[in-house]
Amino acid sequence: MILVETSHPGNIGAAARALKNMDLQELVLVRPRQFPSAEANARASGATDILEKARVCATLAEAAADCTLVLATTSRERDHYYRVLDVRDAAQRAVAAAAQGPVGIVFGPEQSGLTNDDLANTHALLRIPTGEHYASLNVAMAVQIVSYEILRARGTAVPVAPREVPLATAQNMELMYAHLADVLEEIDFRERTQNGSNLHNRIRRFLQRAELDGNEVNILRGILSAVQQRRRRAGA
Amino acid sequence: MILVETSHPGNIGAAARALKNMDLQELVLVRPRQFPSAEANARASGATDILEKARVCATLAEAAADCTLVLATTSRERDHYYRVLDVRDAAQRAVAAAAQGPVGIVFGPEQSGLTNDDLANTHALLRIPTGEHYASLNVAMAVQIVSYEILRARGTAVPVAPREVPLATAQNMELMYAHLADVLEEIDFRERTQNGSNLHNRIRRFLQRAELDGNEVNILRGILSAVQQRRRRAGA
């Protein structure tokens, strides 16, 4: 990630943290207004190591010298000269290209964006979609979104893991539904409705949706048993 | 977007900008440490209007009262009680659900994250994938990524067939839980367990997971009332 002429040191720190959060390492700063800085360190939080090893360059050409693919961020939807890639596609592209050589992604100054000169080494533009009413993203936020999409593109995102307690078997669910039907009948709930079986199905559906585990089914059955016992003790 | 006990006013401002950049509007602050604040305004940049109309609440329950879907951000990969949705899937889900009622997405305090109490109104957890070495995202960055995915989901999401009946509001769910607590006490279920309150939480969690609609809540309350009436008629 290459940040050009960043004005606010806080943004440099926040960008460092954004990189490290997404398992990226290399930050290059072209003519930062103030660096190093205490504010950058504070905003970097646990990512001050990224700041310590950040490279500071006088020109973008120097910063991007060893890159085999350079993408520059833009707010434009189209461009006369460059392909404009959506950030998601750009991230895929960057990850694929990184197998072959360093990839640079360039972020312009907060106020003005990149100049045409800055684009000299660019292979394509990268665009982050925004709303219409206020399209100007903070530069560190842009770094965060790009880094996030790169992490996703790398496929390192850990897949959502299974539940710790196994889900109840269909058979256990059936036993619980039968128990529920008994209790509903005992408390005359069935007769209070126009269409008892339909109602029971409604309950089934939302309990199915909840994807209950074995413990949770036991809790429900405990409640059902308690209702039955209290009624019997009450001599009903 | 609901921010709970945010410590740094700068993060509140940055979150406001992140929302507006992605065409979102509504920011709710639960017990912010400092608000309004000059630092929040500065970081909001062109999004101070979002701050001006931000709602400040004393509790998360109040903040989420009218929400029909509540998602809470988490850094956990798995959870005992709640489904953990990847942020991209969660955004699709939120956009689809927003057609039927307000959706709340909850972000915890910078240092500590959300407590179990904070999760009382949650239907599912939302996880932003991160790298392994430094997984702690800044809260405004998390808001940015979620908002970005919501903008994308709005553009691409073919609306999932909506539920026929709108989901129950958090407030209606609360009334139902209170009713359930009464009945459990009446049938002495509480005393039969080692830890009554913990059990009630377990029930809450799987009912939250089921995402009940208004009719389903009425069915449950009808059953609870039937249990109460039968016991009274039986002279218990």
Side-chain angles (χ1 to χ4, degrees), chain B residues 144-187:
Chain B
Q144 181 71 76
I145 291 174
V146 172
S147 302
Y148 158 77
E149 286 288 6
I150 285 175
L151 180 91
R152 297 207 81 117
R154 277 174 159 180
T156 59
V158 183
V160 179
R163 296 277 291 270
E164 221 157 316
V165 177
L167 295 185
T169 63
Q171 197 168 36
N172 278 340
M173 292 296 287
E174 283 306 327
L175 292 170
M176 188 267 289
Y177 290 130
H179 195 170
L180 174 65
D182 287 348
V183 171
L184 290 183
E185 195 157 324
E186 286 179 40
I187 64 173

Side-chain angles (χ1 to χ4, degrees), chain A residues 6-77:
Chain A
T6 311
S7 315
H8 299 296
N11 285 334
I12 295 175
R17 179 171 178 178
L19 287 191
K20 192 168 179 185
N21 283 159
M22 297 297 161
D23 255 0
L24 295 170
Q25 294 288 324
E26 233 184 309
L27 183 63
V28 183
L29 305 170
V30 177
R31 298 186 301 276
R33 190 191 279 179
Q34 193 190 332
F35 185 82
S37 108
E39 196 181 341
N41 287 343
R43 293 277 298 281
S45 191
T48 48
D49 56 321
I50 303 284
L51 292 179
E52 278 156 22
K53 61 187 177 192
R55 201 149 52 91
V56 179
C57 297
T59 66
L60 179 51
E62 182 192 339
D66 65 340
C67 293
T68 52
L69 176 67
V70 178
L71 303 174
T73 51
T74 185
S75 57
R76 293 173 223 164
E77 281 177 42

Side-chain angles (χ1 to χ4, degrees), chain A residues 64-226:
Chain A
D66 65 340
C67 293
T68 52
L69 176 67
V70 178
L71 303 174
T73 51
T74 185
S75 57
R76 293 173 223 164
E77 281 177 42
R78 68 198 73 188
D79 188 272
H80 280 298
Y81 306 112
Y82 298 102
R83 252 191 304 275
V84 179
L85 302 174
D86 178 273
V87 57
R88 192 163 289 170
D89 303 325
Q92 295 280 350
R93 182 80 186 282
V95 168
Q100 300 200 287
V103 174
I105 301 182
V106 186
F107 299 80
E110 287 93 336
Q111 298 307 319
S112 51
L114 294 164
T115 65
N116 282 339
D117 275 359
D118 291 331
L119 298 181
N121 301 105
T122 296
H123 296 97
L125 300 178
L126 175 162
R127 181 171 181 272
I128 298 172
T130 57
E132 288 166 25
H133 305 299
Y134 182 39
S136 163
L137 277 176
N138 168 275
V139 62
M141 291 293 193
V143 170
Q144 180 71 77
I145 291 173
V146 172
S147 303
Y148 157 77
E149 286 289 6
I150 286 175
L151 180 91
R152 297 206 81 118
R154 279 173 156 178
T156 52
V158 187
V160 170
R163 297 268 293 269
E164 217 151 321
V165 176
L167 295 187
T169 63
Q171 195 170 37
N172 279 340
M173 292 298 286
E174 282 307 327
L175 291 171
M176 187 267 288
Y177 291 130
H179 195 169
L180 173 65
D182 287 347
V183 171
L184 290 183
E185 194 157 324
E186 287 178 39
I187 64 173
D188 292 340
F189 189 72
R190 185 173 282 259
E191 73 197 29
R192 293 157 39 90
T193 63
Q194 297 176 320
N195 186 340
S197 77
N198 181 43
L199 186 92
H200 192 248
N201 281 342
R202 290 296 306 270
I203 298 171
R204 262 188 101 104
R205 283 185 201 121
F206 70 67
L207 287 176
Q208 287 298 120
R209 219 159 61 217
E211 297 171 22
L212 303 179
D213 65 34
N215 289 349
E216 291 165 341
V217 168
N218 287 340
I219 291 171
L220 276 180
R221 296 204 61 175
I223 294 173
L224 294 171
S225 296

Side-chain angles (χ1 to χ4, degrees), chain B residues 206-228:
Chain B
F206 70 67
L207 286 176
Q208 285 297 118
R209 220 161 59 216
E211 296 173 19
L212 303 180
D213 66 32
N215 287 351
E216 290 165 340
V217 168
N218 288 340
I219 291 171
L220 277 179
R221 295 202 63 175
I223 294 173
L224 294 171
S225 296
V227 170
Q228 290 175 316

Side-chain angles (χ1 to χ4, degrees), chain B residues 85-209:
Chain B
L85 302 175
D86 178 272
V87 58
R88 189 162 291 170
D89 303 325
Q92 295 278 350
R93 187 73 189 285
V95 168
Q100 297 201 291
V103 175
I105 302 182
V106 186
F107 299 80
E110 287 93 335
Q111 298 308 318
S112 50
L114 294 164
T115 65
N116 282 339
D117 275 356
D118 291 332
L119 298 180
N121 300 105
T122 295
H123 296 98
L125 300 177
L126 175 162
R127 180 170 181 271
I128 298 173
T130 57
E132 289 166 25
H133 306 300
Y134 183 39
S136 163
L137 278 177
N138 167 274
V139 62
M141 291 295 193
V143 170
Q144 181 71 76
I145 291 174
V146 172
S147 302
Y148 158 77
E149 286 288 6
I150 285 175
L151 180 91
R152 297 207 81 117
R154 277 174 159 180
T156 59
V158 183
V160 179
R163 296 277 291 270
E164 221 157 316
V165 177
L167 295 185
T169 63
Q171 197 168 36
N172 278 340
M173 292 296 287
E174 283 306 327
L175 292 170
M176 188 267 289
Y177 290 130
H179 195 170
L180 174 65
D182 287 348
V183 171
L184 290 183
E185 195 157 324
E186 286 179 40
I187 64 173
D188 293 341
F189 190 71
R190 186 172 281 260
E191 74 196 29
R192 291 158 37 91
T193 62
Q194 296 176 320
N195 187 341
S197 75
N198 180 44
L199 185 91
H200 191 249
N201 281 340
R202 289 294 308 266
I203 297 170
R204 258 189 104 105
R205 286 183 195 123
F206 70 67
L207 286 176
Q208 285 297 118
R209 220 161 59 216

